[in-house]
Amino acid sequence: MAELAGRVALVSGAARGIGRGIAARFAAAGARVALIDALPDVHDVAAAIRSAGGMALSCCADIAEEDELEVALAGIEEEWGSVQILMNNAAVMPTGPLHETAIADFERCLAVNLRGTFLLSRAVIPGMLAAGRGCILHMASVTGLLGLPGLAIYSATKGALIALTRAMSTDYARYGIRVNSVSPGTIDTPMLHDFVAAQQNPAELLRQFAEMHPLRRIGQVEEVAEVCLFLASDRASFVTGSNYVVDGGLSVRGEQPQDESQLNTQES
Ligand SMILES: NC(=O)c1ccc[n+]([C@@H]2O[C@H](COP(=O)([O-])OP(=O)(O)OC[C@H]3O[C@@H](n4cnc5c(N)ncnc54)[C@H](O)[C@@H]3O)[C@@H](O)[C@H]2O)c1
């Protein structure tokens, strides 16, 4: 089903992980997809999408740097015109207790997760206003809703993106621009594997991450991409200002007894 046929979609952080999955899914749905990432691998990802019959172009740029973004966006616009769908996905995740966080790591996290989102949104909104329609998606996280250990600064940026979604949706609804966010639980990506690899027992930690989700596993990139496709499509034409949680039930889970098999949860 080519439900994004003719649309130009920009995906940040598309060289790997969730962004790569979203770019591939949008392209499979017929969109012309512009991939931006700080990693040069982004060019290989775009080439793979083209080999699969999709339309993709790639830009290697740091989304926190206005000059680099300007060059990237000018190239996209020259090739395809205005962006109709913006997926603000790129992020970095400093970890550890707040009092041990270096100021440079704090500032980098704000620069990528918030400034980059601001810069990209600011750049594409005039084209959406001129067209009288558009769709902006922010990749938030369940950490914007829940307290999870060692992620204070990252969580603060994700909570800010959820607030930004609400505020932007009210500013732009009257112009036909929908703004929504997506909050994944733990998803199988390089970001996750980099994080667990730095811990004492990565395999055990991955097992525990799976166990803490009521669906008893971590999520896959495609499961997040599917929700993003829905939100970007006309199927979500009356959806704006929402935060879609894609977390295997994690955020509705309260404290559980250690041994759930002792609970009588079957119908008698
Ligand atoms: N993996 C998870 O469990 C999980 C859970 C919740 C939310 N998320 C969010 O999903 C999004 C994608 O995460 P992921 O797990 O795929 O991460 P990832 O680290 O695997 O991929 C992120 C991509 O963003 C790019 N990037 C980072 N900084 C950039 C910058 N300044 N300019 C351009 N590109 C930059 C990286 O090079 C990388 O390709 C992020 O917003 C993340 O916070 C991830």
Side-chain angles (χ1 to χ4, degrees):
M1 184 173 37
E3 59 185 336
L4 298 186
R7 313 261 171 98
V8 176
L10 192 164
V11 182
S12 70
R16 64 182 210 179
I18 295 172
R20 179 187 179 143
I22 293 169
R25 190 67 190 93
F26 283 7
R32 288 175 284 174
V33 187
L35 294 80
I36 295 186
D37 204 290
L39 294 175
D41 310 31
V42 70
H43 301 307
D44 299 334
V45 175
I49 290 174
R50 287 193 294 271
S51 303
M55 284 174 284
L57 59 81
S58 47
C59 315
C60 189
D62 181 337
I63 62 158
E65 296 295 332
E66 200 177 349
D67 297 351
E68 292 186 28
L69 267 192
E70 233 167 65
V71 174
L73 289 164
I76 295 164
E77 203 151 301
E78 195 180 308
E79 199 70 29
W80 286 340
S82 306
V83 169
Q84 284 117 29
I85 299 166
L86 170 63
M87 176 76 243
N88 279 312
N89 169 76
V92 292
M93 186 175 77
T95 56
L98 184 142
H99 69 282
E100 289 173 8
T101 303
I103 292 174
D105 291 343
F106 168 80
E107 286 179 345
R108 181 68 185 154
C109 186
L110 264 61
V112 178
N113 302 10
L114 295 181
R115 186 171 199 268
T117 295
F118 160 72
L119 289 175
L120 275 167
S121 304
R122 197 176 74 130
V124 304
I125 285 172
M128 294 180 176
L129 289 173
R133 66 180 301 186
C135 169
I136 298 177
L137 296 172
H138 300 311
M139 190 58 71
S141 164
V142 287
T143 61
L145 304 167
L146 300 175
L148 292 176
L151 294 171
I153 309 307
Y154 172 79
S155 303
T157 65
K158 294 302 181 175
L161 287 176
I162 294 168
L164 185 70
T165 300
R166 292 196 195 104
M168 285 177 69
S169 69
T170 57
D171 281 346
Y172 294 109
R174 78 197 72 167
Y175 304 109
I177 303 172
R178 295 184 298 106
V179 186
N180 292 289
S181 57
V182 176
S183 285
T186 310
I187 308 296
D188 191 2
T189 69
M191 179 186 273
L192 172 69
H193 288 282
D194 289 351
F195 172 71
V196 296
Q199 312 302 317
Q200 276 178 358
N201 188 342
E204 170 57 17
L205 192 58
L206 272 181
R207 192 194 64 75
Q208 287 177 14
F209 278 145
E211 278 298 301
M212 77 182 181
H213 296 74
L215 286 180
R216 292 292 160 82
R217 62 179 178 84
I218 61 172
Q220 296 301 314
V221 162
E222 294 74 16
E223 294 174 306
V224 180
E226 205 55 44
V227 175
C228 295
L229 173 61
F230 164 71
L231 289 170
S233 77
D234 293 342
R235 283 182 287 151
S237 51
F238 202 51
V239 182
T240 195
S242 292
N243 177 46
Y244 269 62
V245 176
V246 188
D247 71 346
L250 176 62
S251 55
V252 292
R253 180 173 197 168
E255 285 295 320
Q256 303 287 312
Q258 287 294 309
D259 184 1
E260 287 179 48
S261 64
Q262 298 303 310
L263 293 175
N264 180 8
T265 54
Q266 304 295 315
E267 294 268 330
S268 54

